[in-house]
Amino acid sequence: MSSVEEGDLVARVEGAAGIVRLNRPKAINAVTLEMFRDIEKALDRFEADSAVAVILLEGAGERGLCAGGDIRALWESSKVNGDLGRILWREEYILNARIKKFPKPYVAFMDGIVMGGGVGLSAHASHRVVTDRTKLAMPEVGLGFFPDVGGTWLLSRSPGEIGTFFGLTGQTMNGPDAIHAKFADWVVQAVKLPALREALTKVRPGVTAADVSKLIDGFATGETAGPVAAKEPVIDALFGFDRMEDIFAALKRDGSEFALATLKTLNEKSPRGMVVTLKLLRLARTAPSLEECLVREYRAACEVFRSDDFREGVRAAVIDKDRNPTWSPPRIEDVTPQMLAPYLAEIGADELKFN
C-alpha cells in the first residue's frame, strides 16, 4: 500500500511503529467502507512485518480521532433499498473483532471527538489513550439506531448501570469517565501525545504489551474517574431495569434536576432505538465474547437499515439538521414485542461470521 499523504487513510511504518492515520480531517475523519478495507490491508502488512513492533491509530487534524461512520452514504443507500449497510457493517464488525485479538500491541490515540465507528477502531485496542480533550460518545439512539461496533459488549461491561446510561442517552464521556466506563486505559495530556508517539516509534522489536503499558504509564496523569462516575449510585438506581417504561417511571419518580434533564434527553431519542438498545445491552451482559455481541448487533443493524426511524433520525441530525425527528412509533409504550422481534431474529445465510 502506498503511503500517499492525501489518501483518506495513511498507513506507513515509522521506526518500530505501524501508523494507521484516519485522514479526512474536514469530516472529523468519518470512516468510509474503503477506509475500513485499507485498515484491514494495513493490519495484514504490519502483522507480517517483523520490524513493526506496535500499531498506532491516530486521527488527522485538530478536531478528533473520528466522528463515526459515513452516515450520509448509509442514509443514501437506505433510501433506495441499497446494500451498503449490509456490506459496510459486515466488514467493519469483522475488523472490530480483529483489533481486539491483534497479536501486537495496538495503541489508540483517542484524542478529541471519538464517536460510533471511531469507538470501534479504538476501544477494542490493547492500549487505549484518552486526553484532556477527549469527547467520547455512542449517540446512535438519536439516529434511530443503537450503539454498535461492539458498543453493546463495551457498555455492558462498564460498572453498574453506567453503560446503560451512556448507551441510552448518548451522553459524552470525558477522558477520565471513559476510563471509569472501561472504554479507555490512560489519560495523557494532549500536549504530551507527540512525545509519547515519538517514544512508541522507538520501542524494540518484540516489545511486550506490558512494556508498552509501562511506557504509557510514564506519560499518564493517573486520572480514572470523571463527573459521571460521581453520579454512579443515582444512575444505578434509575437505570437498573430491563424495560424502558420502568426507567422512564424511575426518572419521573426521582424528580431531581439530574433525573429531569436525563428524561428530557431520552424523550428526544427514538423509542424503538431505545428499546432495541436496552435489550441488546441486557443480552450482552451474559455474552462470552465480543464476537457474540457483534453477531447480534449485525442482525439488528440490518433491520435498522430498513427502518424509517434510521432514515428519519439521520435526516433530522445530519441532512436537514432541524433536530426534529418524527419517530415511529412516537412513544415508548407503543413499541411492541412484535416490533422488537425482527431485530433479534437470526438471518440464516447472511449471518456475520468470523475467520
Side-chain angles (χ1 to χ4, degrees):
M1 182 189 305
S2 68
S3 51
V4 182
E5 282 292 353
E6 52 272 13
D8 286 347
L9 189 90
V10 176
R12 63 164 175 234
V13 178
E14 290 183 29
I19 307 290
V20 177
R21 182 183 307 137
L22 310 179
N23 195 36
R24 297 182 69 208
K26 287 181 182 155
I28 320 181
N29 304 315
V31 205
T32 64
L33 177 58
E34 285 309 313
M35 288 166 74
F36 288 128
R37 289 174 174 171
D38 285 343
I39 293 168
E40 275 282 4
K41 288 178 203 156
L43 292 181
D44 285 344
R45 184 177 125 203
F46 295 154
E47 188 172 344
D49 186 345
S50 58
V52 172
V54 61
I55 311 302
L56 173 60
L57 174 76
E58 61 185 12
E62 292 297 308
R63 294 163 72 195
L65 171 67
C66 175
D70 189 349
I71 290 288
R72 188 178 284 267
L74 287 164
W75 181 76
E76 296 281 1
S77 179
S78 175
K79 278 200 311 179
V80 296
N81 201 21
D83 57 3
L84 179 62
R86 198 168 48 79
I87 295 165
L88 182 142
W89 287 319
R90 180 183 297 277
E91 296 188 30
E92 181 180 16
Y93 297 178
I94 288 169
L95 176 59
N96 298 149
R98 179 180 187 181
I99 288 166
K100 181 160 177 62
K101 290 189 165 170
F102 201 72
K104 297 179 180 182
Y106 180 121
V107 182
F109 279 2
M110 301 165 76
D111 186 31
I113 290 169
V114 186
M115 293 186 183
V119 173
L121 295 174
S122 58
H124 302 301
S126 59
H127 297 73
R128 305 166 299 177
V129 177
V130 285
T131 74
D132 48 312
R133 302 190 304 195
T134 295
K135 292 185 170 77
L136 189 152
M138 300 293 284
E140 290 80 2
V141 179
L143 300 174
F145 199 40
F146 61 88
D148 67 328
V149 299
T152 62
W153 165 264
L154 292 161
L155 290 163
S156 66
R157 273 143 190 82
S158 300
E161 299 296 339
I162 288 279
T164 313
F165 169 76
F166 279 126
L168 290 171
T169 62
Q171 177 88 22
T172 302
M173 310 177 199
N174 69 2
D177 268 331
I179 290 178
H180 183 70
K182 298 191 174 7
F183 274 67
D185 307 298
W186 294 270
V187 178
V188 173
Q189 293 286 330
V191 293
K192 291 189 175 177
L193 282 186
L196 173 56
R197 187 186 191 280
E198 176 77 3
L200 287 166
T201 65
K202 292 180 171 165
V203 298
R204 57 182 172 73
V207 69
T208 66
D211 293 334
V212 174
S213 295
K214 199 169 169 188
L215 171 66
I216 299 170
D217 276 336
F219 290 85
T221 66
E223 296 166 274
T224 57
V228 176
K231 292 195 166 68
E232 195 176 312
V234 178
I235 288 169
D236 286 355
L238 296 172
F239 283 83
F241 302 95
D242 296 339
R243 293 180 345 127
M244 278 311 304
E245 293 93 330
D246 296 332
I247 291 174
F248 270 76
L251 290 164
K252 283 176 187 157
R253 258 197 322 273
D254 182 273
S256 65
E257 192 180 342
F258 172 73
L260 294 177
T262 303
L263 198 57
K264 183 174 183 295
T265 299
L266 292 179
N267 274 319
E268 295 163 0
K269 309 297 180 196
S270 156
R272 191 189 303 229
M274 285 188 281
V275 172
V276 170
T277 295
L278 185 60
K279 182 66 177 174
L280 290 173
L281 288 175
R282 294 302 182 250
L283 289 168
R285 278 191 171 162
T286 55
S289 67
L290 168 63
E291 283 89 344
E292 183 177 301
C293 290
L294 287 166
V295 167
R296 218 179 268 128
E297 289 175 13
Y298 187 69
R299 293 169 184 166
C302 289
E303 187 62 27
V304 165
F305 198 63
R306 290 189 280 271
S307 76
D308 291 335
D309 261 19
F310 174 67
R311 288 187 286 272
E312 177 61 6
V314 176
R315 180 206 64 73
V318 179
I319 310 300
D320 299 337
K321 296 188 169 74
D322 62 18
R323 305 279 169 197
N324 190 26
T326 304
W327 300 121
S328 168
R331 302 182 316 153
I332 280 290
E333 303 78 1
D334 301 330
V335 183
T336 64
Q338 290 78 10
M339 284 178 196
L340 179 63
Y343 293 87
L344 307 172
E346 294 181 14
I347 51 177
D350 275 340
E351 289 284 13
L352 182 65
K353 295 181 185 71
F354 301 92
N355 295 335

